Structure formats: structure tokens, C-alpha cells
Amino acid sequence: MQGSSEEQPPEPREDATRPNPKLEPTEQDEPEEAARREAPLAADAHSGHDDHGLAHTMPVWMLVGVLGALMGLTILTVSVTSFDLGSEGNLVVAMVIATIKAALVVTFFMHLFWDKKFHLILFLTAVLFVILFLSMSITDRGEYQHNIDLYQSTTSAAAK
Amino acid sequence: MSETTSESAASTAHKGGHGAPAPAHGGHDAHGGHGGHGGPHLAHHFDTYQQQFDAGKLGIWLFLLTEVLFFSGLFCAYTVYRGMHPEVFVYAHYFLNTSMGAINTCVLLISSLTAAWAVRNAQLAQRKLLVLNILITIACACTFMVVKFFEYEHKFHDGLLPGPAFHPTEQVWELESFKHKHPEAAEYAEKLTKAAEAKEHAKGAAAPAAGAAAEPAAIERPTEEQLEPLIKAGVIGPNAEDQTRPSKPRNAHVFFGIYFFMTGLHGIHVLGGIGVFIWLLLRANKGEFGPKYFGPIDYAALYWHLVDLIWIYLFPLLYLIH
């Protein structure tokens, strides 16, 4: 990708989404390509040739597209509550949709798709520990319930 | 003035930095030549802008990890309590305003877009767009807090507070959100309450609960299906002997403890984000950010996306309980 920018014909849009193979900032072609697409933002053109070289730059169409997807999923998750999908079904569907939304935010808004893989590993480690934390707490949650029931039945009997 | 500054920053970058970590153009001297920068923004303990940026990025990611784990404590409390007492959550969700929550979700998503866009603007030295996007982000964050304020105010007014302060002014079956979804169940709960009250009046203050059991027979009992919403919300028990006197489920206040802690901690993060973005707005207005130095915008945006991310989970967990 590096050094191949100036003479290349405009690449298809999908290309902008591919991962950076070298984990190194190489943004020669992308910003000018984006600038060409954004007619109203013609003022960008002068900086379109920038090679800031520090990190990936998100094209505007992708940012707006991600927002559209997030909005659509928000509408979906609200409207799906009017259907009864069983005792746990609605919760599962809501969490799946939330996780898709979270993945969109992390992948695109937070640049993790293009970022150093180490940052992805860091983030996934945190997620892993949260899952461990929650699942162990869930398996343990009923452990003292009989004591609580006993306490509550004695206190309510005493109240009468 | 500032426009020329960003232009010169852009052209410097174009000449100098192709690809790999470029030397800092002779560092301070070369940059000082452009003037008006307010300094070269390369801290003395870094060799290159790349090194400086990467160090900051690693730092913010580590901070975000601690944030995820920080919030996970509250998510754990939520999970355990919902696992144990689902009826409390079903009961309490009728008191929450879904449309306000949905509006806040959209507002926060839009602010996330503008924050991500601001990073792009900083990278491309588009000063005016950068300032505009930061402004929109702040405006959305403030909108979020205003909506939150009205939600909180409403809950304070209705006595929906955690702990001993929990004194709801309305029963769940009196709420529009409940009546709209389950009209028959609401009506039945209303009748039961009236019957139970009449019974208590007739028998004096010390009415034994057993005496009320005969009365509901006079009221036409709805189908099991119509009764289900009341049982699921813990208003009446699953057994016939617990179905004479509708009331709120035991420990319903715990939901509002969880609700206020989760949304409150999130709200504090939004307030913090507003502060950070105001600071960045002032700096961006001076034209401090450009292709070599956009780290602060990027880090603040990452933090903002995490705040958005947490809300993405909070919204269905608190507002969209079925």
C-alpha cells in the first residue's frame, strides 16, 4: 500500500475497509480518495494530500454509514420489545443487538480494525474478565437464598 | 491566521512525513519557524511524533480497560439481582420512559459520530470542521444531560428513589405504560384493591388477611393470560392465596438503587466528557491540532465512544425489559 498512491486509479470503496497489513500508518491514498467523493467538502482537498502518518483516517461515508447502522439497530431493539419472545428471548435478542452495536462502535468509531492489534487484545482481555466476573457471580447467585427466605419468613411472621 | 497555520502544518507534513515515523523535522527549530503554533507539541521526552502518539494511545486504552472493569461491578449487581428477582425489573420498567431513553441513545450515537469525525478533521487539519464537530459533540452531551435531568426530576417527584426513600406515588397498574399494554390486568388489579380496601374497612383496622380470600370470587377473574402481567411484575403472587391484595413486589427499591447508580455513574462520565471537549474546543480553535498532533482529540473521542458503548448496554437493560 505504501508509496502506491499518486498514479493509482480510484479504488473501489470496499478497499478502504481492509485491514492495514503492516499495522503501520499508511494513508496516502485514502484521504484524497475521500476528498474526491465529498464534493461539499471541497475545502478538504488541500489537506487531502496529507500524509500525517500517525494513524488511520476514517472516511466520512463510513462514519455516517456506521451511524446509520447504529440508529437502525436502535429502532430495531426498541420495536422488538413489543413481541413476546419467551421468558429469556427478549433479553437475549436485546443483548445480541447491543453487542452488534458495541462491535460497530469499537471497530469503526474506535478504529480498532486498523489500530494496533495489541489494543484489540487489551480490549478483549477486559471483556473476557467482565464475562468471567459476571458468569461466576451468576453461578453463585442462589447460594444463600434459603437463608434469605428463612430470614424473611421469620421477620414477616414476627410482624404479624 | 489560524487557517494559514493549519495550511503550513499540512504542507510541513506533506514534505516531511511519508509513512514511517518521521524525524520531527529538526524538531523544535523547524516548527518554530512556522510560528503561531504555540509550540511544536512534541514533548521533550519523546523522540518522534509517532512515538508520542503511540504512547498516548496505549495510555488511553489502558484507561478504558479500567473503565470497563469499573462499570462491570455495577453490571454484576444488575445481573445477579435480575437473576434472583426478575419480577422487580418487570415491575420497575413500567416506571421508566422508554422514549426518553431512546432519544438519549440517538443523541449519544450522533455525538459519537461527531467525535469520530473530529478525529478525522484533526488528522487532516480541517480546523473549522474540527471546531464544529466538537461543538456538536458538546451540544449532544448537554442534550443528554438535560433529558437525564428531566428523567431524574420525574423520578424524584414520583418517589422512585433507592432505599428507604422509595415511596412510589402510583401503583404500577395505575401507570399509563401498564394500562396501555395490559388493560384487563390493570382493571382487575384496580378492582381487587378496592375490594380488599372495602373488606378492611368493614372489619376494622385489624383485618386478617385470610378473610379477604372470599371476596375476589365476586369479581370476575380474568384469564390466566390476562393475569400473567401482574404475576410477572410481582404485583400478585403465583398462588391463588397470594392474589387477593395487589401490591408492589418486595425490595422493588433495589432496582432504583441500581438504576440511579448505573445511570448516575454514566452521567458523571458524560459530564467529564463535556469538560474535556470544552478544553479541546478552545485548543482546536487556536489551531493547535494537525496531522502530527491530534492525539488529544483521538484519546478524548475514544473515551467518548466508551461512554457511548456503556449506554448502548444500559439502554436495553434498564428501559427495554420485557
Side-chain angles (χ1 to χ4, degrees):
Chain A
M1 212 174 155
Q2 214 151 353
S4 68
S5 65
E6 308 296 332
E7 285 84 26
Q8 263 195 355
E11 295 177 31
R13 283 186 168 198
E14 288 74 32
D15 264 12
T17 64
R18 79 184 161 211
N20 191 329
K22 289 181 183 169
L23 298 182
E24 230 176 55
T26 53
E27 287 315 316
Q28 285 99 330
D29 45 359
E30 194 281 315
E32 21 170 342
E33 199 190 329
R36 238 177 272 140
R37 265 187 235 113
E38 302 152 10
L41 298 176
D44 295 10
H46 77 274
S47 49
H49 287 273
D50 275 4
D51 179 20
H52 42 82
L54 296 188
H56 174 259
T57 309
M58 282 289 291
V60 172
W61 66 266
M62 203 186 273
L63 290 172
V64 175
V66 170
L67 179 75
L70 289 170
M71 288 289 190
L73 286 168
T74 304
I75 294 167
L76 179 68
T77 194
V78 172
S79 52
V80 86
T81 49
S82 53
F83 299 100
D84 189 5
L85 303 171
S87 54
E88 298 297 314
N90 284 90
L91 179 65
V92 169
V93 168
M95 285 301 98
V96 166
I97 293 175
T99 305
I100 294 170
K101 285 167 74 180
L104 282 173
V105 169
V106 169
T107 310
F108 296 100
F109 282 174
M110 295 174 93
H111 299 252
L112 262 192
F113 193 71
W114 299 270
D115 208 344
K116 290 185 174 169
K117 291 294 167 274
F118 184 60
H119 298 154
L120 178 66
I121 292 167
L122 283 181
F123 184 73
L124 292 180
T125 310
V127 172
L128 175 72
F129 273 88
V130 171
I131 292 169
L132 278 175
F133 179 33
L134 294 188
S135 50
M136 287 190 181
S137 306
I138 284 181
T139 53
D140 199 32
R141 73 176 201 273
E143 199 66 16
Y144 301 101
Q145 188 59 35
H146 64 278
N147 288 342
I148 297 170
D149 292 340
L150 191 68
Y151 170 78
Q152 276 173 344
S153 62
T154 49
T155 48
S156 64
K160 279 172 192 169
Chain B
M1 165 63 214
S2 303
E3 269 309 304
T4 44
T5 305
S6 47
E7 290 251 9
S8 67
S11 61
T12 312
H14 188 49
K15 276 177 237 152
H18 263 279
H25 312 301
H28 303 225
D29 302 333
H31 261 273
H34 289 292
H37 256 288
H41 302 300
L42 180 63
H44 65 88
H45 51 285
F46 292 115
D47 289 334
T48 61
Y49 280 99
Q50 182 76 53
Q51 189 192 23
Q52 175 172 269
F53 175 77
D54 289 347
K57 192 110 168 174
L58 180 60
I60 191 70
W61 271 109
L62 288 173
F63 172 66
L64 295 186
L65 298 201
T66 65
E67 288 282 276
V68 169
L69 298 174
F70 181 31
F71 271 96
S72 74
L74 286 172
F75 279 101
C76 184
Y78 176 96
T79 313
V80 169
Y81 203 68
R82 186 166 178 181
M84 294 306 293
H85 303 288
E87 76 282 357
V88 168
F89 288 78
V90 174
Y91 164 83
H93 102 276
Y94 291 109
F95 290 93
L96 297 188
N97 191 329
T98 308
S99 49
M100 273 188 164
I103 289 168
N104 259 355
T105 307
C106 294
V107 165
L108 219 50
L109 288 175
I110 291 168
S111 75
S112 237
L113 167 81
T114 53
W117 200 337
V119 176
R120 177 190 157 86
N121 298 145
Q123 287 172 325
L124 301 180
Q126 302 161 334
R127 192 181 64 90
K128 279 181 182 161
L129 265 175
L130 171 62
V131 168
L132 180 69
N133 271 324
I134 294 176
L135 267 177
I136 298 173
T137 308
I138 295 171
C140 284
C142 291
T143 311
F144 181 90
M145 290 313 292
V146 168
V147 172
K148 200 90 247 161
F149 168 79
F150 283 116
E151 279 188 273
Y152 275 15
E153 194 197 30
H154 191 249
K155 284 191 182 54
F156 275 60
H157 181 259
D158 287 355
L160 301 167
L161 293 163
F166 181 68
H167 295 296
T169 54
E170 280 182 297
Q171 296 288 3
V172 66
W173 58 87
E174 295 167 356
L175 297 172
E176 277 311 313
S177 54
F178 188 92
K179 281 184 184 166
H180 179 70
K181 266 190 197 165
H182 316 292
E184 299 89 358
E187 206 177 310
Y188 182 62
E190 196 75 40
K191 280 181 190 164
L192 274 185
T193 314
K194 278 194 185 134
E197 274 169 5
K199 197 102 198 157
E200 275 164 32
H201 262 284
K203 288 213 169 190
E215 187 62 26
I219 305 164
E220 199 188 337
R221 193 182 151 88
T223 61
E224 288 302 317
E225 208 171 304
Q226 290 167 345
L227 216 54
E228 210 189 337
L230 291 173
I231 296 170
K232 280 198 167 165
V235 169
I236 54 173
N239 307 315
E241 63 266 26
D242 302 326
Q243 296 183 348
T244 54
R245 184 74 158 107
S247 66
K248 52 184 184 286
R250 183 156 51 196
N251 294 336
H253 59 87
V254 177
F255 174 88
F256 290 95
I258 292 171
Y259 168 84
F260 276 108
F261 266 97
M262 288 185 110
T263 58
L265 186 64
H266 181 265
I268 287 170
H269 278 79
V270 173
L271 285 179
I274 292 174
V276 169
F277 275 113
I278 287 174
W279 173 61
L280 290 177
L281 179 71
L282 299 176
R283 293 186 65 186
N285 199 36
K286 288 187 218 153
E288 285 190 23
F289 301 112
K292 292 260 150 239
Y293 183 67
F294 57 87
I297 303 274
D298 198 6
Y299 312 149
L302 282 173
Y303 165 80
W304 194 248
H305 296 317
L306 190 89
V307 173
D308 185 26
L309 206 69
I310 286 160
W311 185 257
I312 284 175
Y313 279 98
L314 284 186
F315 173 58
L317 285 177
L318 294 175
Y319 292 81
L320 301 179
I321 296 164
H322 189 76

